[in-house]
């Protein structure tokens, strides 16, 4: 009996032990920090066009708002120094300087071409009558394009009178044709681009020694508001032309330069 009681008591004890054993409490899950994403507002078409417009601000916008200033001989001198500064020595740059006596009065933006030419060359009729040398001109007017050259020729009717005028540009006219024309006839006025004038000198079709006046169409602006010397190709050709005898003629005071 003892054994049975003891065995039965053992079972109760085990049950009690099972009941009293504490059940482990599951650990609380620690909250992981959530990632934050900043949602950027979508760019509309208007915003993108606005930014593009700001980036593409052109020099023409600035020029359109600024008042036009007439060109001066100092402007030409400074452009020459800037152009040759990287390839010439200090002494060579000084040799490019031209005295004030080389320059005619510049256009103050109040003149037409005819009135300006009359002012800088009051004795034109006499000069024209005494000029009889072929392959040469008394006056060269240099501009940026063939279309502009035609405009200038039309606008100088009051000045030229009976003077023989020749178009000196490349559009639709071959160099050889112009050389033949200069050999055949006496020409008083030449209007054209620096590239073609330079080519005529190279080929011996144009002699600069009788030249008395060299006028640059300096202040006129094209549709993009660029002057002729603002265009890199034209500027390069002008300076190359000046070194083909023009500078030496200016220094000898047989040739005068003007900025229209």
């Amino acid at each position: 009996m003892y054994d049975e009681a003891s065995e039965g008591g053992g079972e109760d004890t085990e049950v009690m032990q099972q009941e009293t054993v504490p059940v482990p409490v599951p650990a609380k899950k620690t909250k992981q920090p959530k990632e934050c994403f900043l949602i950027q507002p979508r760019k509309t078409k208007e915003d993108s066009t606005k930014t593009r417009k700001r980036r593409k601000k052109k020099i023409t916008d600035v020029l359109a708002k600024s008042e036009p200033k007439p060109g001066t001989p100092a402007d030409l001198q400074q452009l020459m120094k800037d152009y040759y500064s990287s390839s010439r020595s200090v002494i060579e740059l000084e040799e490019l300087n031209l005295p004030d006596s080389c320059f005619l009065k510049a256009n103050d933006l109040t003149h037409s071409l005819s009135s300006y030419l009359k002012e800088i060359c009051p004795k034109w009729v006499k000069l024209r009558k005494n000029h009889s040398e072929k392959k040469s001109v008394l006056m060269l007017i240099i501009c940026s394009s063939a279309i502009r050259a035609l405009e200038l020729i039309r606008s100088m009717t009051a000045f030229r009178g009976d003077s023989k005028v020749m178009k000196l540009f490349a559009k639709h006219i071959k160099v050889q044709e112009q050389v033949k024309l200069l050999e055949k006839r006496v020409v008083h006025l030449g209007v054209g681009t620096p590239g073609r004038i330079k080519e005529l000198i190279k080929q011996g079709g144009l002699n600069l020694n009788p030249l008395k006046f060299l006028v640059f169409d300096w202040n006129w602006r094209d549709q993009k508001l660029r002057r002729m010397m603002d265009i890199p190709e034209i500027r390069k050709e002008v300076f190359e032309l000046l070194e083909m005898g023009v500078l030496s003629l200016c220094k000898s005071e047989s040739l005068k330069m003007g900025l229209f």
Side-chain angles (χ1 to χ4, degrees):
M1 289 186 63
Y2 177 76
D3 293 335
E4 290 176 4
S6 62
E7 285 174 15
E11 287 175 3
D12 294 338
T13 323
E14 285 177 3
V15 172
M16 290 295 293
Q17 284 177 351
Q18 287 174 1
E19 290 176 357
T20 56
V21 171
V23 180
V25 181
K28 289 183 180 181
K29 291 182 180 180
T30 56
K31 290 184 179 181
Q32 296 292 329
K34 291 183 179 180
E35 293 185 35
C36 294
F37 296 96
L38 293 174
I39 300 172
Q40 294 183 351
R42 290 183 180 179
K43 285 186 177 181
T44 61
K45 287 183 180 179
E46 290 180 3
D47 295 334
S48 59
T49 52
K50 281 179 183 178
T51 53
R52 279 203 298 270
K53 282 179 182 177
R54 287 194 199 102
R55 287 174 189 169
K56 290 185 179 180
K57 192 170 183 181
K58 295 179 181 178
I59 191 168
T60 51
D61 301 326
V62 180
L63 290 170
K65 293 178 182 178
S66 61
E67 292 183 7
K69 293 181 180 178
T72 63
D75 294 335
L76 175 59
Q77 300 268 42
Q78 188 59 50
L79 279 175
M80 287 179 67
K81 284 182 181 178
D82 294 341
Y83 182 80
Y84 289 114
S85 60
S86 59
S87 59
R88 304 286 175 94
S89 66
V90 178
I91 296 169
E92 287 173 327
L93 288 174
E94 286 178 358
E95 289 176 355
L96 294 173
N97 288 333
L98 294 172
D100 294 338
S101 58
C102 294
F103 294 95
L104 298 159
K105 184 180 178 181
N107 179 22
D108 58 1
L109 304 183
T110 62
H111 283 284
S112 66
L113 181 58
S114 284
S115 66
Y116 176 69
L117 295 179
K118 284 178 180 178
E119 183 175 290
I120 63 171
C121 185
K123 297 179 180 180
W124 174 253
V125 176
K126 186 179 179 180
L127 279 171
R128 174 176 60 79
K129 286 179 179 178
N130 292 333
H131 178 65
S132 59
E133 192 171 341
K134 295 176 182 178
K135 295 172 65 176
S136 67
V137 293
L138 286 173
M139 181 184 290
L140 270 177
I141 300 174
I142 298 176
C143 58
S144 58
S145 67
I147 294 172
R148 178 58 180 163
L150 294 173
E151 288 176 0
L152 290 171
I153 291 169
R154 285 193 294 267
S155 67
M156 62 194 292
T157 308
F159 169 77
R160 73 186 191 189
D162 296 330
S163 304
K164 301 297 180 184
V165 183
M166 188 167 175
K167 305 165 191 172
L168 303 176
F169 49 75
K171 197 170 185 179
H172 308 309
I173 308 171
K174 293 180 180 179
V175 183
Q176 291 78 11
E177 291 176 10
Q178 289 173 332
V179 170
K180 287 178 182 178
L181 287 171
L182 287 165
E183 287 173 347
K184 287 179 181 179
R185 63 177 72 166
V186 174
V187 181
H188 305 105
L189 276 160
V191 184
T193 55
R196 175 48 60 93
I197 293 168
K198 196 176 65 169
E199 191 61 32
L200 287 167
I201 296 167
K202 278 183 183 178
Q203 296 200 17
L206 185 63
N207 176 19
L208 291 180
N209 288 328
L211 186 65
K212 300 298 177 188
F213 302 96
L214 181 67
V215 178
F216 292 103
D217 183 32
W218 190 276
N219 297 297
W220 180 80
R221 295 181 185 272
D222 62 13
Q223 290 182 345
K224 296 180 180 179
L225 299 179
R226 300 175 302 177
R227 298 169 302 176
M228 62 176 288
M229 296 301 277
D230 294 328
I231 304 169
E233 299 84 11
I234 299 295
R235 185 168 61 243
K236 177 177 178 289
E237 288 176 342
V238 165
F239 291 139
E240 288 175 354
L241 174 62
L242 291 179
E243 289 202 283
M244 295 178 75
V246 173
L247 292 177
S248 58
L249 288 171
C250 286
K251 289 178 180 178
S252 67
E253 298 190 356
S254 65
L255 173 63
K256 304 286 184 183
M257 286 198 293
L259 307 181
F260 171 64

